[in-house]
Amino acid sequence: MRSQLSQRLIQSKQILRDFPRSRRYLVGVSGGRDSVALLHSLVDLGYKNLIVCHLNHQLRGRSSAADARFVENLAAKYDVDLAIESKNVRALAAKKKMSIETAARDARYDFFANIAKRKRCRTIFLAHHADDLVETFLINLFRGAGTTGLGAMRNVSKRRINGVDITIVRPLLGVWRNEIDKFVRTHRLKFREDASNKNLAPLRNRSRHRVIPYLEKTLGRNIRQNIWRAAAIASEEESFFEQLLPPELAKVTELGVKQLRSLPVAVQRRAIRAWLRSKEIVDLGFDLIENVRALLDSASAAKTNLPRDRHARRRAGKIFVE
């Protein structure tokens, strides 16, 4: 008999319709309750041709190594393939002068891209759930994001990483953390606890443990569902507007200044964002987009900095990345 969580996945119209069970898929598994619940549910639904992907971030010493061993045993239990690697995320963060959280995220996606290329499998299931969606929406709102950032976490999205195009599927975005907790208890699933989730230094943890409970206390218990709804609406609208952009944006090496300048500001921003994303430029925040958009003004500087020692430059009526 299928579990309640598996039934929720079946009922979600956006999730499994385009992903036949006979095909091969990657699935990100940290060893925490969310990814364990996802893996169990996928297997329960008949997804047998899976590759469990686990990156050891080396941030918690023996605990990180124990996480990797746990995931290894989990893959053996479900009789699915396994891909495990290690990365010194702390050293990576210091080298690139970024936060531990950002370095860990980048390392994970680089790892996923490498496995996707090696295994010739370009679709990955990730265990982000409804509470993650709410937290991401609020974090991006606090950072001054537009609708692109507010709708960034989607059920199905595309991402180009190190020249590899990956389809990211998040089947649990309509499932709340307390539902996953109940599911794990009911099925007596073992998982690994990450003590760093209680550390209030990262903004996400502060949002989870302080900001959202405060909003619920002052604005009502349904505030979480209302934020989720706003995020879902933003996500659907962004998917629609992205389809209106010329598909050749992902292929052109240069943007025409005159053509871009003739467009409304909102379209300029979307076009620049889509173009930069196709060039694998990371951390596409408002200031970065505006700095590139300023190149449309012939009176402005002809060069602006981009992350990872790259630059956008204007020359002979064209904008290009170097």
Side-chain angles (χ1 to χ4, degrees):
M1 182 176 180
R2 283 176 176 154
S3 67
Q4 183 180 3
L5 189 57
S6 298
Q7 292 295 338
R8 288 287 297 273
L9 295 185
I10 294 173
Q11 294 165 7
S12 181
K13 63 180 181 180
Q14 295 189 41
I15 307 303
L16 302 178
R17 179 181 59 196
D18 298 324
F19 303 97
R21 299 169 194 178
S22 59
R23 293 184 184 174
R24 198 179 198 191
Y25 301 101
L26 309 178
V27 53
V29 180
S30 66
R33 73 184 70 201
D34 305 333
S35 60
V36 167
L38 173 63
L39 177 60
H40 181 90
S41 296
L42 288 173
V43 172
D44 185 43
L45 288 173
Y47 287 85
K48 305 294 186 180
N49 200 4
L50 299 173
I51 303 172
V52 167
C53 301
H54 176 83
L55 180 66
N56 180 353
H57 299 83
Q58 300 182 359
L59 290 171
R60 294 164 33 245
R62 293 181 179 177
S63 292
S64 292
D67 291 346
R69 289 194 299 272
F70 174 82
V71 173
E72 185 176 358
N73 292 333
L74 199 63
K77 170 186 173 182
Y78 290 112
D79 192 25
V80 295
D81 290 340
L82 174 69
I84 289 184
E85 291 183 10
S86 297
K87 187 75 174 182
N88 189 333
V89 168
R90 201 178 304 278
L92 179 67
K95 179 181 179 180
K96 297 190 175 182
K97 298 180 180 179
M98 58 176 61
S99 69
I100 293 290
E101 293 75 26
T102 300
R105 180 199 63 198
D106 289 353
R108 278 195 303 276
Y109 280 102
D110 286 346
F111 165 62
F112 294 152
N114 291 338
I115 299 302
K117 184 176 182 179
R118 187 189 314 162
K119 300 292 185 177
R120 297 182 180 180
C121 177
R122 303 302 173 90
T123 300
I124 183 167
F125 288 103
L126 297 180
H128 298 117
H129 49 70
D131 292 270
D132 291 323
L133 181 63
V134 170
E135 293 160 11
T136 299
F137 180 92
L138 287 177
I139 289 170
N140 288 340
L141 179 65
F142 299 155
R143 290 172 173 166
T147 53
T148 301
L150 299 180
M153 188 172 283
R154 308 179 191 180
N155 293 113
V156 181
S157 59
K158 304 281 187 179
R159 185 163 180 169
R160 187 172 181 81
I161 309 165
N162 299 336
V164 180
D165 293 315
I166 295 180
T167 297
I168 300 171
V169 187
R170 298 180 174 95
L172 303 183
L173 280 188
V175 181
W176 296 94
R177 183 180 289 115
N178 59 2
E179 295 178 293
I180 294 175
D181 289 343
K182 182 178 179 181
F183 172 81
V184 168
R185 289 196 301 270
T186 300
H187 293 270
R188 298 180 179 179
L189 299 180
K190 295 181 179 180
F191 59 90
R192 294 283 298 171
E193 285 280 12
D194 186 349
S196 66
N197 289 333
K198 298 179 181 179
N199 177 9
L200 295 180
L203 179 56
R204 179 172 295 276
N205 287 354
R206 295 201 302 277
S207 298
R208 178 181 304 168
H209 298 298
R210 294 284 177 84
V211 176
I212 293 176
Y214 175 78
L215 291 175
E216 288 182 321
K217 181 179 179 180
T218 56
L219 299 177
R221 298 295 298 180
N222 62 340
I223 190 65
R224 197 182 297 248
Q225 287 76 13
N226 291 344
I227 296 172
W228 183 93
R229 187 184 305 123
I233 292 171
S235 173
E236 290 295 333
E237 291 185 351
E238 279 305 301
S239 295
F240 169 73
F241 286 123
E242 283 182 358
Q243 293 174 13
L244 299 181
L245 291 173
E248 59 267 20
L249 270 177
K251 300 178 182 178
V252 298
T253 57
E254 302 171 330
L255 293 178
V257 171
K258 184 177 180 180
Q259 295 89 333
L260 201 56
R261 191 187 293 151
S262 66
L263 300 174
V265 171
V267 181
Q268 291 177 8
R269 288 172 176 155
R270 289 179 184 276
I272 290 171
R273 173 180 288 275
W275 180 68
L276 289 174
R277 185 184 296 149
S278 74
K279 301 296 177 285
E280 300 190 33
I281 305 300
V282 297
D283 299 328
L284 295 175
F286 178 81
D287 290 340
L288 188 151
I289 300 297
E290 288 301 282
N291 288 342
V292 174
R293 200 170 70 83
L295 297 176
L296 299 178
D297 183 358
S298 58
S300 71
K303 175 182 174 182
T304 188
N305 294 332
L306 299 174
R308 298 182 177 177
D309 296 324
R310 300 177 75 182
H311 308 87
R313 188 184 294 274
R314 182 189 70 242
R315 182 187 298 149
K318 301 289 185 180
I319 296 175
F320 57 93
V321 171
E322 60 181 12

